[in-house]
PDB file of all heavy atoms in Angstrom:
ATOM      1  N   PHE F 917      -9.760   3.395  -8.655  1.00  0.00           N
ATOM      2  CA  PHE F 917     -11.108   3.443  -8.098  1.00  0.00           C
ATOM      3  C   PHE F 917     -12.072   2.546  -8.867  1.00  0.00           C
ATOM      4  O   PHE F 917     -12.916   1.875  -8.268  1.00  0.00           O
ATOM      5  CB  PHE F 917     -11.656   4.878  -8.058  1.00  0.00           C
ATOM      6  CG  PHE F 917     -12.997   4.950  -7.398  1.00  0.00           C
ATOM      7  CD1 PHE F 917     -13.109   4.836  -6.022  1.00  0.00           C
ATOM      8  CD2 PHE F 917     -14.156   5.065  -8.145  1.00  0.00           C
ATOM      9  CE1 PHE F 917     -14.339   4.839  -5.389  1.00  0.00           C
ATOM     10  CE2 PHE F 917     -15.394   5.073  -7.533  1.00  0.00           C
ATOM     11  CZ  PHE F 917     -15.483   4.961  -6.152  1.00  0.00           C
ATOM     12  N   THR F 918     -11.945   2.523 -10.174  1.00  0.00           N
ATOM     13  CA  THR F 918     -12.845   1.696 -10.986  1.00  0.00           C
ATOM     14  C   THR F 918     -12.802   0.244 -10.510  1.00  0.00           C
ATOM     15  O   THR F 918     -13.840  -0.392 -10.325  1.00  0.00           O
ATOM     16  CB  THR F 918     -12.426   1.766 -12.471  1.00  0.00           C
ATOM     17  OG1 THR F 918     -12.316   3.127 -12.841  1.00  0.00           O
ATOM     18  CG2 THR F 918     -13.442   1.097 -13.359  1.00  0.00           C
ATOM     19  N   ILE F 919     -11.579  -0.256 -10.301  1.00  0.00           N
ATOM     20  CA  ILE F 919     -11.406  -1.652  -9.895  1.00  0.00           C
ATOM     21  C   ILE F 919     -11.994  -1.889  -8.501  1.00  0.00           C
ATOM     22  O   ILE F 919     -12.773  -2.821  -8.286  1.00  0.00           O
ATOM     23  CB  ILE F 919      -9.900  -2.014  -9.930  1.00  0.00           C
ATOM     24  CG1 ILE F 919      -9.404  -2.069 -11.375  1.00  0.00           C
ATOM     25  CG2 ILE F 919      -9.640  -3.326  -9.213  1.00  0.00           C
ATOM     26  CD1 ILE F 919      -7.890  -2.121 -11.498  1.00  0.00           C
ATOM     27  N   ALA F 920     -11.632  -1.021  -7.548  1.00  0.00           N
ATOM     28  CA  ALA F 920     -12.101  -1.201  -6.174  1.00  0.00           C
ATOM     29  C   ALA F 920     -13.620  -1.044  -6.091  1.00  0.00           C
ATOM     30  O   ALA F 920     -14.304  -1.787  -5.379  1.00  0.00           O
ATOM     31  CB  ALA F 920     -11.419  -0.200  -5.250  1.00  0.00           C
ATOM     32  N   HIS F 921     -14.153  -0.094  -6.856  1.00  0.00           N
ATOM     33  CA  HIS F 921     -15.587   0.172  -6.856  1.00  0.00           C
ATOM     34  C   HIS F 921     -16.358  -1.016  -7.434  1.00  0.00           C
ATOM     35  O   HIS F 921     -17.408  -1.395  -6.927  1.00  0.00           O
ATOM     36  CB  HIS F 921     -15.844   1.439  -7.675  1.00  0.00           C
ATOM     37  CG  HIS F 921     -17.284   1.792  -7.860  1.00  0.00           C
ATOM     38  ND1 HIS F 921     -18.198   1.731  -6.834  1.00  0.00           N
ATOM     39  CD2 HIS F 921     -17.958   2.224  -8.953  1.00  0.00           C
ATOM     40  CE1 HIS F 921     -19.377   2.107  -7.299  1.00  0.00           C
ATOM     41  NE2 HIS F 921     -19.257   2.405  -8.576  1.00  0.00           N
ATOM     42  N   ARG F 922     -15.807  -1.638  -8.464  1.00  0.00           N
ATOM     43  CA  ARG F 922     -16.501  -2.749  -9.110  1.00  0.00           C
ATOM     44  C   ARG F 922     -16.664  -3.927  -8.141  1.00  0.00           C
ATOM     45  O   ARG F 922     -17.671  -4.619  -8.134  1.00  0.00           O
ATOM     46  CB  ARG F 922     -15.735  -3.201 -10.351  1.00  0.00           C
ATOM     47  CG  ARG F 922     -16.646  -3.899 -11.345  1.00  0.00           C
ATOM     48  CD  ARG F 922     -15.923  -4.607 -12.458  1.00  0.00           C
ATOM     49  NE  ARG F 922     -14.980  -3.780 -13.193  1.00  0.00           N
ATOM     50  CZ  ARG F 922     -14.169  -4.268 -14.136  1.00  0.00           C
ATOM     51  NH1 ARG F 922     -14.209  -5.540 -14.449  1.00  0.00           N
ATOM     52  NH2 ARG F 922     -13.338  -3.488 -14.752  1.00  0.00           N
ATOM     53  N   VAL F 923     -15.641  -4.150  -7.307  1.00  0.00           N
ATOM     54  CA  VAL F 923     -15.680  -5.305  -6.416  1.00  0.00           C
ATOM     55  C   VAL F 923     -16.303  -4.966  -5.058  1.00  0.00           C
ATOM     56  O   VAL F 923     -17.134  -5.708  -4.544  1.00  0.00           O
ATOM     57  CB  VAL F 923     -14.261  -5.891  -6.243  1.00  0.00           C
ATOM     58  CG1 VAL F 923     -14.248  -6.978  -5.177  1.00  0.00           C
ATOM     59  CG2 VAL F 923     -13.758  -6.438  -7.578  1.00  0.00           C
ATOM     60  N   PHE F 924     -15.917  -3.857  -4.481  1.00  0.00           N
ATOM     61  CA  PHE F 924     -16.379  -3.545  -3.119  1.00  0.00           C
ATOM     62  C   PHE F 924     -17.571  -2.600  -3.075  1.00  0.00           C
ATOM     63  O   PHE F 924     -18.333  -2.628  -2.107  1.00  0.00           O
ATOM     64  CB  PHE F 924     -15.238  -2.938  -2.301  1.00  0.00           C
ATOM     65  CG  PHE F 924     -14.117  -3.895  -2.030  1.00  0.00           C
ATOM     66  CD1 PHE F 924     -12.929  -3.823  -2.724  1.00  0.00           C
ATOM     67  CD2 PHE F 924     -14.262  -4.891  -1.068  1.00  0.00           C
ATOM     68  CE1 PHE F 924     -11.897  -4.708  -2.474  1.00  0.00           C
ATOM     69  CE2 PHE F 924     -13.240  -5.789  -0.811  1.00  0.00           C
ATOM     70  CZ  PHE F 924     -12.057  -5.697  -1.511  1.00  0.00           C
ATOM     71  N   GLY F 925     -17.699  -1.754  -4.093  1.00  0.00           N
ATOM     72  CA  GLY F 925     -18.771  -0.762  -4.068  1.00  0.00           C
ATOM     73  C   GLY F 925     -18.318   0.478  -3.317  1.00  0.00           C
ATOM     74  O   GLY F 925     -17.686   0.378  -2.267  1.00  0.00           O
ATOM     75  N   ALA F 926     -18.629   1.617  -3.884  1.00  0.00           N
ATOM     76  CA  ALA F 926     -18.156   2.887  -3.322  1.00  0.00           C
ATOM     77  C   ALA F 926     -18.587   3.081  -1.878  1.00  0.00           C
ATOM     78  O   ALA F 926     -17.798   3.493  -1.037  1.00  0.00           O
ATOM     79  CB  ALA F 926     -18.659   4.047  -4.180  1.00  0.00           C
ATOM     80  N   SER F 927     -19.846   2.736  -1.560  1.00  0.00           N
ATOM     81  CA  SER F 927     -20.307   3.034  -0.202  1.00  0.00           C
ATOM     82  C   SER F 927     -19.580   2.180   0.832  1.00  0.00           C
ATOM     83  O   SER F 927     -19.311   2.637   1.941  1.00  0.00           O
ATOM     84  CB  SER F 927     -21.826   2.861  -0.098  1.00  0.00           C
ATOM     85  OG  SER F 927     -22.186   1.554  -0.466  1.00  0.00           O
ATOM     86  N   ASN F 928     -19.242   0.960   0.457  1.00  0.00           N
ATOM     87  CA  ASN F 928     -18.475   0.122   1.387  1.00  0.00           C
ATOM     88  C   ASN F 928     -17.062   0.656   1.576  1.00  0.00           C
ATOM     89  O   ASN F 928     -16.518   0.600   2.685  1.00  0.00           O
ATOM     90  CB  ASN F 928     -18.413  -1.318   0.879  1.00  0.00           C
ATOM     91  CG  ASN F 928     -19.733  -2.042   1.048  1.00  0.00           C
ATOM     92  OD1 ASN F 928     -20.455  -1.810   2.018  1.00  0.00           O
ATOM     93  ND2 ASN F 928     -20.065  -2.892   0.104  1.00  0.00           N
ATOM     94  N   ILE F 929     -16.475   1.154   0.489  1.00  0.00           N
ATOM     95  CA  ILE F 929     -15.120   1.709   0.583  1.00  0.00           C
ATOM     96  C   ILE F 929     -15.143   2.931   1.506  1.00  0.00           C
ATOM     97  O   ILE F 929     -14.313   3.073   2.395  1.00  0.00           O
ATOM     98  CB  ILE F 929     -14.587   2.091  -0.816  1.00  0.00           C
ATOM     99  CG1 ILE F 929     -14.435   0.839  -1.691  1.00  0.00           C
ATOM    100  CG2 ILE F 929     -13.253   2.808  -0.703  1.00  0.00           C
ATOM    101  CD1 ILE F 929     -14.145   1.128  -3.155  1.00  0.00           C
TER     102      ILE F 929
END
Side-chain angles (χ1 to χ4, degrees):
F917 184 75
T918 308
I919 290 168
H921 176 44
R922 204 191 307 174
V923 172
F924 293 104
S927 58
N928 286 325
I929 295 170

